[in-house]
Amino acid sequence: MKTINKKIRKTALIFLIGSSFLISIDTMAQRRAGGGGAGIHRAGGGSQARPAVSRPASQSRPTVNRPAATRPGSNGGTRVTRPANTSNTNINNRNNTNNRNSGNIRNSGNRNTNISGNTRNVDRSRDITINNNRNTVVRRNTVVYARPPYVYGGYRYHAYNPYFFHPYTPFYYGPVWHPWGFFVATLAVTAIVVSVESTQYHYDQGVWYAPSNGGYTAVPAPVGGTVNNIPSGAQTVNTGTVNNYYYGGTYYEKDGSSYKVVPPTAGTIVDNLPEGGKEVTIGDVKYVKFGETYYQPVQVDGKNKYEVVLVEEDK
């Protein structure tokens, strides 16, 4: 009986070993046919391939339509205008443009600083608008003109002396004198306040100032303004009827113990003109213009001078 049991156990063990061997051979055959374990699930063994996923084509971002907008400038004008259709590329271009403009503004500021820092021979009259032109009205002389006027553009330009061209060379009156439009932050202690027609001016050593932008701007002397003293370098000029005193483009007339600002008189001859004037060409003649007053280059006794011109409409 024991012998039979041993044979049965031996037969069962052989059967188990043979079954394991056959299973191993079958597994190896399947791996070779399917390309490995991974291939069984992807391509063979009844497994299905993953269906292709169809993705929608990428859409371009639509252009944003923005309403046109204009930003007002500091002086009431228009400064920056934004176009109606703006893309990312245009925005980048605009940023680059703004960067370049910022550099230009900085450079411009440097130039302005250099100009304002120069306190000598500075002509600011073309940069700042001067509204006070009351002293530029020329008074008519009582003497009859012996010379025919120069006629051009519907106007007659009267002068006693013949036209003699010489270049306009501004005369330097010294460091305390400034041309019309020159700005100073503070005034010297010698400045005095002069009231003319309810308007206050400041006068200091031949220069008239009006308050502006936290400081003071040199302006044309207001007709009627009266001061007790004028600079010692004032030139005495004959108007044909009475003597005037001329200094830095301003004419004074003795009024008791004071000096009153008066308009220039036609025919008056002065030795020099200060900064702030500009040469203007009228036909074939070049005049020097201060405000609305025209000066004709002349020569008297071999010296270059200027004569106040009477301008009339040719009727």
Side-chain angles (χ1 to χ4, degrees):
M1 192 70 181
K2 291 181 179 178
T3 303
I4 294 172
N5 290 337
K6 288 181 179 181
K7 288 181 179 181
I8 292 172
R9 285 197 297 271
K10 185 176 182 180
T11 302
L13 180 61
I14 293 172
F15 176 79
L16 290 173
I17 294 172
S19 297
S20 299
F21 180 75
L22 292 175
I23 291 172
S24 299
I25 293 173
D26 182 66
T27 301
M28 292 176 62
Q30 288 179 0
R31 289 181 177 177
R32 290 178 180 178
I40 295 173
H41 298 285
R42 288 196 296 268
S47 62
Q48 295 180 355
R50 181 181 297 176
V53 179
S54 177
R55 298 180 182 269
S58 60
Q59 298 178 354
S60 60
R61 183 176 297 176
T63 301
V64 179
N65 292 327
R66 298 180 180 175
T70 302
R71 183 166 59 193
S74 59
N75 295 325
T78 57
R79 183 173 55 175
V80 177
T81 302
R82 186 177 63 201
N85 294 329
T86 304
S87 64
N88 292 335
T89 302
N90 291 337
I91 291 174
N92 292 332
N93 291 338
R94 189 169 68 245
N95 290 338
N96 293 335
T97 301
N98 289 338
N99 292 335
R100 290 194 299 270
N101 290 339
S102 299
N104 292 337
I105 292 172
R106 287 194 295 269
N107 292 336
S108 177
N110 291 337
R111 288 196 299 270
N112 290 339
T113 302
N114 293 335
I115 292 175
S116 60
N118 188 355
T119 58
R120 178 175 179 178
N121 293 336
V122 178
D123 182 5
R124 294 277 304 278
S125 63
R126 297 186 181 93
D127 300 331
I128 300 176
T129 301
I130 303 299
N131 295 322
N132 182 5
N133 285 326
R134 287 180 295 174
N135 73 331
T136 60
V137 178
V138 175
R139 295 189 295 182
R140 177 183 286 273
N141 200 318
T142 57
V143 180
V144 178
Y145 285 95
R147 302 178 57 81
Y150 177 73
V151 180
Y152 185 86
Y155 290 90
R156 293 178 291 175
Y157 298 83
H158 296 271
Y160 291 106
N161 294 274
Y163 174 76
F164 183 88
F165 175 75
H166 53 82
Y168 163 53
T169 303
F171 182 79
Y172 179 61
Y173 280 87
V176 298
W177 189 90
H178 301 300
W180 298 349
F182 192 90
F183 177 85
V184 293
T186 57
L187 294 176
V189 294
T190 53
I192 62 173
V193 177
V194 180
S195 181
V196 181
E197 297 180 3
S198 302
T199 301
Q200 284 191 343
Y201 297 88
H202 296 261
Y203 172 84
D204 183 38
Q205 302 184 65
V207 185
W208 294 78
Y209 299 91
S212 67
N213 300 325
Y216 305 89
T217 300
V219 296
V223 172
T226 302
V227 293
N228 292 329
N229 297 287
I230 58 176
S232 58
Q235 175 189 354
T236 302
V237 293
N238 192 334
T239 65
T241 56
V242 65
N243 285 341
N244 280 176
Y245 302 91
Y246 170 81
Y247 185 86
T250 301
Y251 296 83
Y252 299 89
E253 201 168 277
K254 201 76 167 65
D255 184 20
S257 59
S258 303
Y259 297 88
K260 182 172 63 177
V261 177
V262 295
T265 302
T268 301
I269 297 176
V270 296
D271 293 339
N272 47 64
L273 295 175
E275 301 173 63
K278 58 181 178 181
E279 285 186 335
V280 294
T281 301
I282 306 295
D284 298 327
V285 177
K286 275 190 176 182
Y287 297 100
V288 180
K289 187 178 181 183
F290 277 83
E292 298 303 319
T293 301
Y294 288 85
Y295 288 85
Q296 174 177 296
V298 296
Q299 191 174 72
V300 179
D301 298 330
K303 297 181 179 180
N304 294 336
K305 299 187 178 186
Y306 299 90
E307 179 180 335
V308 178
V309 179
L310 176 64
V311 183
E312 294 181 321
E313 188 174 357
D314 188 19
K315 298 181 180 179

